[in-house]
Amino acid sequence: MSESQPTLPSGPDSTRIDRWLWAVRLTKTRSDAAQACRGGHVRINGRPAKPATGVKAGDEVRVRLHGRTRLVDVSHIIVKRVGAPIATRCYVDRSPAPPTPEARGPVLKRDRGAGRPTKKDRRQLEKLRAELPTEL
């Protein structure tokens, strides 16, 4: 028994990036998508995008949301929010796998109420921060 997939709704050739991010359910609200664009967390084909920047099929979109970088290729343009099964067919997700807690390295913990960090503690924190990878 083969399951028939719902057809993709017809849409324009291009649309605003904030509208597309909301329609394919990468952000909860359109204003969240616009705020991510204004904050410099959205790139289209390697260039920073404003909320009104156009996106079309074939573009590569890199979005930094909730501490995670999502890398998606646009395969279909929609402008209205649709169900999750249809929305996931509108892009190809090439995001790197989220790091496992073990891969992040050691975490320095201090007892509550232990006072200010010592100079040794501060040096250890700086060394740990220098080893962490930076993204986007």
Side-chain angles (χ1 to χ4, degrees), residues 26-42:
L26 289 178
T27 59
K28 281 190 173 188
T29 64
R30 188 167 166 192
S31 61
D32 284 347
Q35 188 174 10
C37 291
R38 283 191 295 271
H41 301 290
V42 179

Side-chain angles (χ1 to χ4, degrees), residues 11-33:
D13 292 337
S14 68
T15 189
R16 294 170 55 111
I17 185 64
D18 62 340
R19 193 172 192 183
W20 186 80
L21 289 171
W22 167 76
V24 297
R25 297 174 172 261
L26 289 178
T27 59
K28 281 190 173 188
T29 64
R30 188 167 166 192
S31 61
D32 284 347

